Amino acid sequence: MSNAQIIPAQNTQLTQQAQLDELLAPWAQALALRVSAQELAENSSKSYQRGARRFLDFCLAQDLNPRAPDSVREWKAALLTEYKPATVHAWLAGVKALFAWLSETGIISHNPAEHIKGAKRKGTNKRHARESLTDSEMRRLLALPDESAQGKRDAAILALMSYAALRQVEGYRADLADLKTQSGRLVLEVQGKGRQEKDEIVVIMGDAEQALRDWISARGSDEGALFVSLSNRSRGERLCLRAIRGIVKKYYSLAGIVGNKTTHSLRHTAITKAISAGVPIQKVKGLARHSSIETTMIYFHELDRLEDPAEAYISY
């Protein structure tokens, strides 16, 4: 398909649905090539396409010219009234990627999204929105799973999140073959957030190791996903992200845990607990598998603000 076939020279307003579809198809092929070349994660490719599709549908419904920067701003402003900034930022990244490709390939003469700023969560560089769990909440939570195969699986998931700061997406992507022994310790090779390969490790020790080995004993040694479904309908299949979140939510409810606490709160708690124990920042960064030390510093600033506040030193 040539550029001329994608956008007829006489048409400067991309408002026909057929024309929009013609734009997305070759772009999707270009994204697929980037995924194959390990330049882009598959999940990012899907997110980009969702964002671009939403934007183009919005322009069609509102009779806007998609090539006008203000059309991108109008769409962004409309999204911010309904969705969280992080979601808007992800979809906007798709629009930026689409127009960058159209510009680079010469299909359009300029990139209308080039100078549009991403949506940022208020206070991202100051504090986390999610709460940590207290020690008593953690003890109640980790004591709940029973000795059934399902209970052992759930206990392993909770333990890896609570002791090794495992992300739910890392647990979802993990395979049995990713478990290795390095320097005498059990480790799990993981593909973390925004990563394209399983090039980071989670060190598994103590109660987390015991819970994981109990689950593997019940799971068996068959190749495949580390955490699998045990239901009759999908037995043996990889647990999806929704199922992992559902497991954590179920045990929160059973433990009587309330407040702004999500699946990510277990990871948040593990990182915060390490800092409270005096672990140096570089080691905490390794535990958290943060790409930037600045991200790890958010946890340090947060904890110090509450444990040793300046207000405690004021007296009259």
Side-chain angles (χ1 to χ4, degrees):
M1 181 179 292
S2 68
N3 293 354
Q5 289 176 308
I6 296 174
I7 303 180
Q10 69 271 21
N11 190 343
T12 60
Q13 302 261 337
L14 306 179
T15 55
Q16 298 295 322
Q17 188 67 38
Q19 293 171 329
L20 301 182
D21 290 339
E22 287 182 0
L23 281 174
L24 292 184
W27 178 53
Q29 293 175 2
L31 290 177
L33 179 59
R34 290 183 61 192
V35 172
S36 298
Q38 297 185 348
E39 295 179 357
L40 183 71
E42 185 173 359
N43 285 343
S44 296
S45 172
K46 293 178 180 178
S47 178
Y48 283 177
Q49 292 179 66
R50 283 196 296 269
R53 178 75 269 167
R54 283 178 173 272
F55 169 68
L56 296 176
D57 286 347
F58 176 83
C59 290
L60 187 66
Q62 300 296 323
D63 195 24
L64 297 174
N65 177 9
R67 293 169 64 178
D70 280 350
S71 296
V72 182
R73 293 188 177 96
E74 285 192 37
W75 174 67
K76 175 185 170 185
L79 287 179
L80 286 170
T81 65
E82 298 183 49
Y83 299 96
K84 294 180 180 180
T87 301
V88 176
H89 182 81
W91 287 339
L92 180 60
V95 175
K96 285 176 169 287
L98 170 62
F99 281 120
W101 176 77
L102 292 173
S103 179
E104 291 168 1
T105 53
I107 297 175
I108 60 176
S109 59
H110 72 285
N111 181 349
E114 183 177 4
H115 301 296
I116 306 296
K117 294 183 178 180
K120 295 184 178 180
R121 187 182 74 199
K122 184 178 179 181
T124 297
N125 62 341
K126 296 180 180 179
R127 66 181 301 274
H128 290 89
R130 300 171 183 85
E131 301 175 12
S132 295
L133 277 69
T134 66
D135 286 357
S136 61
E137 286 175 330
M138 289 302 306
R139 288 192 294 269
R140 286 178 60 84
L141 182 75
L142 295 173
L144 282 171
D146 58 30
E147 291 300 312
S148 66
Q150 180 175 311
K152 290 178 179 178
R153 180 202 63 192
D154 298 350
I157 292 173
L158 294 175
L160 286 178
M161 290 180 171
S162 303
Y163 288 105
L166 187 77
R167 295 183 177 97
Q168 56 183 324
V169 70
E170 293 170 341
Y172 161 71
R173 293 169 173 167
D175 293 322
L176 184 65
D178 297 329
L179 285 168
K180 308 287 175 61
T181 300
Q182 295 183 11
S183 299
R185 296 194 187 281
L186 181 66
V187 302
L188 177 67
E189 295 179 342
V190 296
Q191 180 184 349
K193 181 180 178 182
R195 313 289 289 193
Q196 298 177 26
E197 299 178 356
K198 294 180 178 180
D199 54 2
E200 296 181 299
I201 62 169
V202 171
V203 181
I204 306 169
M205 303 173 60
D207 290 344
E209 180 176 355
Q210 181 64 49
L212 183 58
R213 292 194 185 280
D214 286 345
W215 159 237
I216 294 172
S217 177
R219 175 196 178 281
S221 58
D222 294 341
E223 294 181 356
L226 178 58
F227 297 114
V228 298
S229 170
L230 297 175
S231 68
N232 292 331
R233 177 183 297 181
S234 57
R235 179 173 292 271
E237 295 180 8
R238 184 182 302 273
L239 273 186
C240 65
L241 288 170
R242 182 178 180 181
I244 293 174
R245 287 193 293 270
I247 288 169
V248 176
K249 184 177 179 180
K250 178 186 76 172
Y251 285 103
Y252 277 179
S253 178
L254 292 173
I257 295 172
V258 296
N260 186 26
K261 293 164 184 173
T262 67
T263 306
H264 185 81
S265 295
L266 295 178
R267 168 178 163 82
H268 184 94
T269 302
I271 297 169
T272 302
K273 193 70 174 177
I275 295 171
S276 297
V279 177
I281 188 170
Q282 286 292 348
K283 289 184 178 292
V284 176
K285 180 177 180 292
L287 163 72
R289 299 172 298 287
H290 288 149
S291 59
S292 168
I293 196 72
E294 284 75 19
T295 304
T296 312
M297 283 300 298
I298 296 174
Y299 286 86
F300 278 83
H301 291 318
E302 236 174 65
L303 195 60
D304 182 68
R305 179 70 183 96
L306 295 174
E307 291 195 347
D308 190 24
E311 290 86 342
Y313 296 89
I314 299 173
S315 62
Y316 299 97

